[in-house]
Amino acid sequence: MTALTLSTAGAATLRADALVVGVAKGAGSKPGDLVLAPGAEAVDKAFGGKLAAVLATLGASGAEGELTKVPAPEGLKVPVVIAAGLGKAGKDGAFDAETLRRAAGAAARSLAGSKKAGFALPIGSVEDAEAIAEGALLGAYAFTAYQAGENKLAPKDAKPAGAKQALAEVAVLGAKPRDKAFKAAAERAIALAEEINRARDLVNTPPNDLYPESFAAVATAAGKEHGIKVQVLDEKALVKGGYGGILGVGQGAERGPRLVKLAYTHPKAEKTLALVGKGITYDSGGISLKPAGHNETMKCDMAGAAAVFATVVSAARLGLRVNVTAWLALAENMPSGSATRPGDVLRMYSGKTVEVLNTDAEGRLVMADALTRASEENPDAIVDVATLTGAMVLALGNRTFGIMSNDDAFRTSIHEIADEVGEASWPMPLPADLRKGMDSSTADIANMGERMGGGLVAGLFLKEFVGEGIAWAHLDIAGPAFHEGAPYGYTPKGGTGSAVRTLVKLAERTAAGDLG
């Protein structure tokens, strides 16, 4: 993990491999109309007041996501200056937190293999400093566990092929290292980034190494480290408890399913938040096998479980005054002679029966059991997170998750929180007319309904298993959970850690009593 410091050094005196400053679009429309952002003053002085002109000559426009590297002149203790584009400043001349987060992330990623970099981006508040720190730590992320230099089975003298190690240290300039608020912001950024990156690692881990039992072992170890109570239900316990949904999905795999409960409690907590995560460690589609081209990234189908796991550990590390319980519904969905067949009927933990019309609609089955079990503890609210439907990707694209809820105010709160922390989301309805499509002549409900609006149908199915009177929201993160394109901002290729920041902020708001 990349280290973070709030440096007392100035931009001209910091010794590092590189120094990052901000550059913005000017008020005019001409090419080369650049404005240096606050924090770059000492660097500009070293350039004789001509840094903006040099950057413009090199083609810099100040656009968001743009990085321009220039050799540092005498007067600076770094060999390279990186100008990170910030776009246009707001009316008050400031830049929002997400802009700073993305700029820091892009710069940190470009410095892979370096030992130390200084970030002299504009800081007008504690929130700005935290955004820069968080973005840099997330942007520096690199998953190298299976490359030659990291692989324990590889020759000792082998070196990683094709990728560099993450930037080793981020030094944020312009903050106030001795100020309690800045210290707390740095500590929050470190805890949150480390847990998001742990979630990313889990999503990126290949399914031959990450399966229900090994995921449960990771959760158990984290629980011991952070004082979180962990309970693991193995196959025998699931059979005894009547968890027909989880067992039905997992029965085709050689490696059996698990239901993992992680409970963080605070002695002064007045509210309890329950989180449920879909943890399909590999999804072949089961007997309803996925077509060619759709299997290759299905190691990411446990991203919901990774997100709620990361959230409960973050809550413990931050000492939030709220009880947070995470339920990880873990299974492999595989085709075999013992696999659930289309047409089979499962008796769920709730007692309801479900006719399985499509074994590739498996996430809702494991989630249903976990939702019922979570409801038994009567939390103040339940949020489930799942890479649930391709229909949600068709509706909202690859970067936005959908939010459904049985409580409009709760849905609105989560949408506002996601927007605040920089995660793209959109509120979605749960139309009552779509429920009829899941009527079954054989069982209480079918696991499939109308094809159109399939993401909403899945939400309606889950709603059936939420306890009466409990505020509930469903986050379908099928789009943003796994990024297959080129990295951007602080978002890497592969697992992203989607929804963790939203859930942690929700826990913080709940602890503060801001959600009623």
Side-chain angles (χ1 to χ4, degrees), residues 212-262:
E213 185 179 1
S214 63
F215 197 153
V218 171
T220 299
K224 290 180 180 178
E225 181 181 357
H226 297 290
I228 300 167
K229 186 176 180 181
V230 181
Q231 180 185 11
V232 179
L233 299 185
D234 61 12
E235 290 165 277
K236 290 183 179 179
L238 292 170
V239 170
K240 184 177 180 180
Y243 293 88
I246 297 175
L247 288 165
V249 173
Q251 70 187 42
E254 291 186 4
R255 297 178 290 197
R258 297 288 187 273
L259 178 61
V260 180
K261 174 187 177 183
L262 298 100

Side-chain angles (χ1 to χ4, degrees), residues 143 145-146 151-153 201-218 255 281-282 299 302 332:
F143 185 68
Y146 289 82
N151 192 336
K152 294 179 181 179
L153 299 179
D201 282 348
L202 287 167
V203 174
N204 290 329
T205 299
N208 57 317
D209 281 346
L210 188 74
Y211 44 91
E213 185 179 1
S214 63
F215 197 153
V218 171
R255 297 178 290 197
T281 55
Y282 183 74
K299 65 180 182 180
M302 37 57 65
E332 280 188 325

Side-chain angles (χ1 to χ4, degrees), residues 23-266:
V23 60
K25 285 180 172 289
S29 58
K30 295 180 180 180
D33 184 17
L34 300 178
V35 176
L36 298 178
E41 295 84 359
V43 179
D44 188 38
K45 184 177 180 180
F47 275 87
K50 297 181 179 180
L51 177 56
V54 171
L55 293 172
T57 300
L58 294 174
S61 68
E64 288 190 45
E66 181 183 79
L67 297 176
T68 307
K69 294 184 179 182
V70 294
E74 292 184 12
L76 298 180
K77 304 296 184 182
V78 297
V80 176
V81 172
I82 299 177
L86 299 173
K88 283 195 174 184
K91 292 181 180 180
D92 58 355
F95 301 91
D96 63 46
E98 180 64 6
T99 296
L100 296 174
R101 194 181 288 117
R102 290 182 179 179
R109 185 177 61 256
S110 75
L111 289 162
S114 300
K115 292 182 179 180
K116 182 177 180 179
F119 286 72
L121 295 170
I123 294 179
S125 65
V126 172
E127 290 73 22
D128 290 345
E130 183 174 341
I132 293 166
E134 187 179 287
L137 293 176
L138 293 176
Y141 172 81
F143 185 68
T144 60
Y146 289 82
Q147 294 175 4
E150 297 292 325
N151 192 336
K152 294 179 181 179
L153 299 179
K156 291 183 179 180
D157 58 350
K159 295 182 179 180
K164 297 178 181 178
Q165 296 297 304
L167 169 63
E169 182 182 350
V170 167
V172 177
L173 283 62
K176 299 176 182 178
R178 297 180 180 84
D179 184 282
K180 288 184 178 180
F182 280 91
K183 284 183 179 179
E187 290 171 0
R188 184 185 187 277
I190 291 169
L192 195 55
E194 286 183 353
E195 295 313 319
I196 291 172
N197 287 340
R198 191 208 299 257
R200 291 170 167 180
D201 282 348
L202 287 167
V203 174
N204 290 329
T205 299
N208 57 317
D209 281 346
L210 188 74
Y211 44 91
E213 185 179 1
S214 63
F215 197 153
V218 171
T220 299
K224 290 180 180 178
E225 181 181 357
H226 297 290
I228 300 167
K229 186 176 180 181
V230 181
Q231 180 185 11
V232 179
L233 299 185
D234 61 12
E235 290 165 277
K236 290 183 179 179
L238 292 170
V239 170
K240 184 177 180 180
Y243 293 88
I246 297 175
L247 288 165
V249 173
Q251 70 187 42
E254 291 186 4
R255 297 178 290 197
R258 297 288 187 273
L259 178 61
V260 180
K261 174 187 177 183
L262 298 100
Y264 159 71
T265 58
H266 190 286

